[in-house]
Amino acid sequence: MALAVIPCLFASCSDDDDAVVTPSASGTMTDDLGNEYGWVRIGNLEWTTSNARNGASMLEHEFHNDQGWGNALDFSGQLEYAETEYMPRYGNLLTYDDALASVPDGWRLPSDEDWKNLERALGSDDVDALGMRGSAGLALMAEDSGSQLALLLGGAMIGVRINHEKEFGYYWTSTPAPDAGLKKRAYFRKIVFGNDRVGRYATDRTNLLSVRWCRDAQR
């Protein structure tokens, strides 16, 4: 794993004198398939700066109907779009279990508390509530300046379709949520185009969401 630590730039000032959090270090890492990712250090955690591209491929995701098991994206007519347009831009979408299974050595699927700590480091003070709250949404999406985390609006795959790309981004946490009847759920984060708030919700673990990784800051 290559590291490229940069000098501490942890807080700078914008035109309106509000503090803008920028990474205090950055580097690169690779997953089990050899895909390379950038990472940045925000507060006491290091986060990857692009969505996971490894794990069980969304192109092979299956669903069950009256005819038995079939390829979900082929059934919805999105298979070619997912392969040639979606995945090159947004990465892979994974179920909760597959997201846990695909984490590279030395990293982790961020917990609900990890996401809260990141939001606090980006200036939010209302991170424990459910729903849309806080003020870290635009900072989480910042790419070339600010946090440089570049969270993407890749939507999610619910059932057999990819939905809401370019509108919303949905990212797993590793933290289980209370079950809803027989359905097991986990917490996730939602970002919205042009919205500074961040959503904290729970969803069925069989849905396919985007994935970032984090680790404790390496000293």
Side-chain angles (χ1 to χ4, degrees):
M1 180 177 65
L3 302 180
V5 176
I6 63 175
C8 180
L9 301 172
F10 198 80
S12 61
C13 292
S14 65
D15 291 340
D16 59 3
D17 295 327
D18 290 332
V20 177
V21 175
T22 56
S24 60
S26 66
T28 61
M29 53 83 69
T30 56
D31 65 22
D32 57 307
L33 298 180
N35 297 307
E36 185 174 284
Y37 308 80
W39 61 259
V40 292
R41 182 181 299 163
I42 302 293
N44 61 357
L45 294 174
E46 293 168 354
W47 292 79
T48 49
T49 57
S50 55
N51 292 352
R53 300 190 291 275
N54 68 339
S57 174
M58 62 185 288
L59 301 176
E60 299 173 3
H61 185 68
E62 294 191 336
F63 79 107
H64 190 270
N65 62 13
D66 293 340
Q67 286 74 48
W69 289 94
N71 183 286
L73 290 168
D74 190 40
F75 181 82
S76 64
Q78 289 188 310
L79 186 59
E80 182 178 357
Y81 162 70
E83 182 175 17
T84 62
E85 297 183 45
Y86 184 92
M87 291 185 73
R89 180 173 183 177
Y90 297 111
N92 199 13
L93 293 174
L94 295 162
T95 67
Y96 174 80
D97 288 339
D98 288 336
L100 287 174
S102 68
V103 179
D105 290 343
W107 294 79
R108 63 178 179 264
L109 185 64
S111 68
D112 189 44
E113 194 62 32
D114 287 331
W115 280 100
K116 289 180 185 179
N117 287 336
L118 175 60
E119 292 174 67
R120 290 188 188 102
L122 294 174
S124 286
D125 56 7
D126 181 24
V127 300
D128 294 317
L130 291 172
M132 298 297 292
R133 76 285 183 274
S135 58
L138 298 180
L140 289 171
M141 292 181 267
E143 182 175 359
D144 297 324
S145 61
S147 76
Q148 300 175 31
L149 287 162
L151 262 62
L152 300 174
L153 301 168
M157 185 171 169
I158 311 297
V160 299
R161 294 192 62 83
I162 305 167
N163 296 283
H164 301 300
E165 63 270 38
K166 300 182 182 179
E167 298 179 86
F168 308 132
Y170 301 91
Y171 287 84
W172 280 122
T173 84
S174 64
T175 304
D179 295 342
L182 297 178
K183 293 185 177 181
K184 293 187 176 299
R185 303 192 304 163
Y187 289 107
F188 71 95
R189 289 301 186 273
K190 176 182 178 179
I191 55 171
V192 179
F193 176 78
N195 196 325
D196 207 23
R197 294 187 178 274
V198 178
R200 179 177 177 250
Y201 300 99
T203 191
D204 191 322
R205 299 184 197 180
T206 62
N207 293 327
L208 280 69
L209 311 186
S210 297
V211 170
R212 292 290 176 97
W213 302 308
C214 77
R215 66 181 179 182
D216 295 332
Q218 306 296 290
R219 301 297 181 183

